[in-house]
């Protein structure tokens, strides 16, 4: 597998604490906002998405919040674990566009 | 299921050489994508396909060509490699069902052009 040495914003978090990863988006017309996780040496993996008419969605240990007023998306990870160390990308989707637009990513480092 | 596989994993080319990257998926997905990933740039879409026999340009298509002759395969070609094409290349696929935001990615190919 492959990974890229990315010069990214980095969040260091203690194991067991909660993590908040932020993303600013530009396209108000996007229909969905999505979070992907990329572990070292692997391709990105889908985590969760949220429709543009919602402001909160919960998954397993993750919560995504959408603030359309300030065009801001966040991913909250509860009780962060070493396996959560990764680069996290937000992405936008528009119906009928057949593709995603990815942000630049945020690195999360979990300290045991 | 193997999911999405990519061949080769690593490749070093000299400027001007050509090569083809192969992506294969065994999930019967309609949509397939080629991305490149560079430091600080995130994932950028090169080309994509919405079904067998179709291709479309993405965000950064110049210098690349693609073909989708079979539903399960999506080929990315570099006719005359340039150092600017040094990158990690990812292939992805997705179904046309309700989970269309979920793309499944391969493990990537690291390409270096000298």
């Amino acid at each position: 597998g492959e990974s890229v040495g990315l010069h990214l914003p980095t969040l260091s978090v203690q194991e067991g604490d909660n993590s908040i990863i932020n993303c600013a988006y530009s396209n108000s017309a996007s229909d969905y906002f999505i979070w992907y996780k990329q572990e070292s040496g692997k391709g990105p993996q889908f985590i969760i998405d949220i429709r543009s008419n919602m402001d909160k969605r919960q998954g397993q240990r993750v919560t995504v919040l959408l603030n359309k007023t300030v065009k801001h998306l966040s991913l909250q990870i509860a009780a962060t674990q070493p396996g959560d160390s990764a680069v996290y990308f937000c992405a936008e989707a528009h119906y009928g566009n057949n593709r995603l637009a990815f942000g630049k990513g945020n690195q999360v480092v979990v300290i045991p | 299921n193997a999911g999405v596989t990519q061949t080769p994993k690593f490749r070093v080319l000299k400027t001007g050489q050509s090569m083809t990257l192969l992506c294969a998926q065994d999930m019967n997905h309609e949509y397939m994508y080629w991305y490149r990933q560079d430091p600080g740039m995130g994932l950028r879409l090169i080309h994509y396909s919405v079904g067998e026999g179709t291709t479309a340009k993405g965000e950064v298509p110049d210098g690349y060509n693609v073909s989708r002759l079979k539903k399960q395969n999506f080929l990315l070609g570099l006719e005359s490699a340039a150092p600017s094409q040094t990158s990690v290349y990812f292939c992805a696929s997705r179904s046309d069902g309700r989970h269309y935001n979920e793309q499944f990615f391969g493990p990537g190919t690291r390409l270096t052009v000298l």
Side-chain angles (χ1 to χ4, degrees):
Chain A
E2 290 303 318
S3 63
V4 180
L6 300 170
H7 306 291
L8 299 171
T10 300
L11 172 67
S12 296
V13 59
Q14 203 74 36
E15 182 179 356
D17 289 351
N18 297 335
S19 304
I20 300 176
I21 308 159
N22 297 304
C23 175
Y25 65 89
S26 57
N27 189 353
S28 300
S30 294
D31 296 300
Y32 271 96
F33 299 91
I34 308 108
W35 283 100
Y36 276 78
K37 171 186 180 183
Q38 186 177 24
E39 297 177 57
S40 181
K42 297 183 179 180
Q45 183 177 16
F46 173 90
I47 303 173
I48 190 169
D49 61 4
I50 185 168
R51 196 167 177 171
S52 61
N53 62 356
M54 300 171 65
D55 52 22
K56 181 179 180 179
R57 188 176 184 207
Q58 288 185 296
Q60 187 174 12
R61 268 199 321 118
V62 296
T63 301
V64 57
L65 299 176
L66 177 62
N67 185 331
K68 293 179 284 293
T69 302
V70 294
K71 297 183 182 178
H72 184 266
L73 184 72
S74 68
L75 180 71
Q76 300 178 1
I77 305 174
T80 310
Q81 302 170 359
D84 296 325
S85 290
V87 175
Y88 290 81
F89 293 96
C90 62
E92 303 173 49
H94 192 280
Y95 286 141
N97 203 3
N98 297 316
R99 51 190 181 175
L100 302 177
F102 284 88
K104 291 182 170 51
N106 288 271
Q107 177 98 47
V108 172
V109 176
V110 180
I111 304 165
Chain B
N1 287 350
V4 179
T5 57
Q6 293 183 231
T7 309
K9 289 183 169 52
F10 304 92
R11 187 70 186 268
V12 178
L13 290 178
K14 294 181 180 178
T15 297
Q17 287 185 317
S18 63
M19 77 161 296
T20 300
L21 282 69
L22 171 64
C23 176
Q25 52 94 5
D26 61 1
M27 297 173 282
N28 201 35
H29 284 169
E30 290 293 332
Y31 297 83
M32 296 188 75
Y33 304 84
W34 275 108
Y35 296 91
R36 60 178 288 173
Q37 187 174 38
D38 303 294
M41 299 295 290
L43 288 156
R44 293 185 291 171
L45 182 65
I46 305 171
H47 286 281
Y48 65 102
S49 169
V50 301
E52 181 180 317
T54 75
T55 63
K57 293 181 180 179
E59 182 184 355
V60 288
D62 293 343
Y64 305 94
N65 56 75
V66 287
S67 64
R68 183 101 181 266
L69 299 179
K70 294 183 179 180
K71 186 177 184 179
Q72 64 267 33
N73 295 337
F74 195 28
L75 279 64
L76 178 70
L78 287 73
E79 290 187 349
S80 181
S84 60
Q85 294 178 304
T86 293
S87 188
V88 180
Y89 291 85
F90 287 98
C91 175
S93 71
R94 70 164 176 90
S95 69
D96 58 355
R98 56 190 292 267
H99 296 293
Y100 61 82
N101 289 326
E102 183 172 5
Q103 294 185 9
F104 294 83
F105 283 80
T109 296
R110 180 178 291 275
L111 176 66
T112 301
V113 184
L114 302 176

